[in-house]
Amino acid sequence: MHFGRVQDDKNLDLSLVEDRPRTRGFLGLGHQGRRLIYPGASIWADKDWVGTLYPSGTRSADYLRIYAEHYASVESNGSFYHLPSSQQIRHWRSQVGAEFRFCPKVPKEVSHTLASGLNRPLLQAYLDCCEEFGEHYGMSFLQLPDGFGPEMGRSLEVLLAAWSSEWPLAIEFRHPGWFKDHMLLDPLINLLYRYKVSAVITDTPGRRDVLHLSLTAPSLIVRFQGCFPSPKDDRRLSAWADRLHEWAQSGLDALYFFVHQERHAAIPAGVDYMVRALLERQAPGLMLPARREQTSDEEASHDGLWI
């Protein structure tokens, strides 16, 4: 994720603001969700992880299998460029445990041409892919282009009306016109709430305006862009661990938190930090692979209970 990336976070205020009144109002609706939290990475196929997350000598064909021994979800960006075949998805499913969830990205030819009309055949083909993931489907995310602003709201509603409610969806908004005081504009919040669609929460150092706290559906995706190496990353992750734990305890369903870093080699350290932070808070809905090996610190934090 290059959006809002910076090379230096010096003099930047990267604090996580307090929940806004509409956020607190949504959390107080008496949700009865599963209260699950899925920390994960933005990729799984990265040769820079060989020797750290992946043992030395690991073949690329084994990356996903080993990744799924450490984490229970992944942001799957490949579908943004090319839809995977049914055979490919079945192969991925065979590499992961029952608890694992994929969060595939809606194709660019749907999201980035929306202003000129909805590509319904490709949207249907994408939803067919979602069905292929079966129980391993987590949540889709659709990234709108930077220039897609409020004046294009009608095109957005066409998409929402065509989307199948069977598949949870989160939309990432980037145009500054959608945001005010760390919230989406009220008409957009109302629209997403009506269709039971959430908005991706993007925490990126160079665009603090898009760090909104608008909740419109019981499942959501947070995309976290770090500025590695920086001690502020750990403080930001700790703040998110507090917030996700609070939101889950309010009865939300599934909260996906994906770590991005300019240096891909640093991504697993960020995810591991979030896992430890949630264990320290004894978050009961923290989702980890059943066969993940525990460190001594993790065992002490989680009392040996693994989901």
Side-chain angles (χ1 to χ4, degrees), residues 211-265:
L211 179 54
H212 72 88
L213 298 177
S214 305
L215 302 179
T216 57
S219 295
L220 63 93
I221 289 175
V222 178
R223 304 182 81 206
F224 177 93
Q225 173 69 58
C227 185
F228 190 85
S230 170
K232 288 185 179 180
D233 281 355
D234 290 351
R235 293 196 292 271
R236 293 167 62 203
L237 289 167
S238 292
W240 269 115
D242 287 334
R243 194 64 53 90
L244 293 178
H245 184 36
E246 292 169 7
W247 287 357
Q249 291 301 98
S250 295
L252 299 190
D253 193 57
L255 313 180
Y256 297 91
F257 187 92
F258 297 122
V259 174
H260 295 248
Q261 290 282 9
E262 179 180 3
R263 289 174 50 195
H264 284 182

Side-chain angles (χ1 to χ4, degrees), residues 21 49 68 74-75 96 100 103 108 123 188 190 213 280 306:
W49 298 354
V74 69
E75 181 184 294
V96 303
F100 195 89
C103 290
K108 185 176 184 179
L123 175 61
L188 178 57
N190 297 338
L213 298 177
E280 289 170 0
W306 291 86

Side-chain angles (χ1 to χ4, degrees), residues 43-100:
I43 50 176
W44 76 71
D46 198 297
K47 62 182 181 181
D48 289 339
W49 298 354
V50 176
T52 55
L53 185 68
Y54 304 144
S56 297
T58 299
R59 302 176 307 144
S60 60
D62 294 324
Y63 286 171
L64 177 58
R65 177 182 59 80
I66 299 174
Y67 176 95
E69 294 174 357
H70 291 267
Y71 311 126
S73 67
V74 69
E75 181 184 294
S76 184
N77 285 279
S79 52
F80 184 65
Y81 304 101
H82 180 72
L83 289 181
S85 66
S86 298
Q87 181 180 7
Q88 181 66 74
I89 296 173
R90 287 195 295 270
H91 175 69
W92 290 340
R93 289 170 54 188
S94 73
Q95 301 295 299
V96 303
E99 72 289 326
F100 195 89

Side-chain angles (χ1 to χ4, degrees), residues 10 120 130 134-135 145-146 151 192 206 213-214 244 275 298:
K10 185 183 296 184
R120 294 178 184 272
C130 293
E135 66 177 4
D146 295 11
E151 71 279 3
L192 296 176
L213 298 177
S214 305
L244 293 178
V275 169
E298 289 176 343

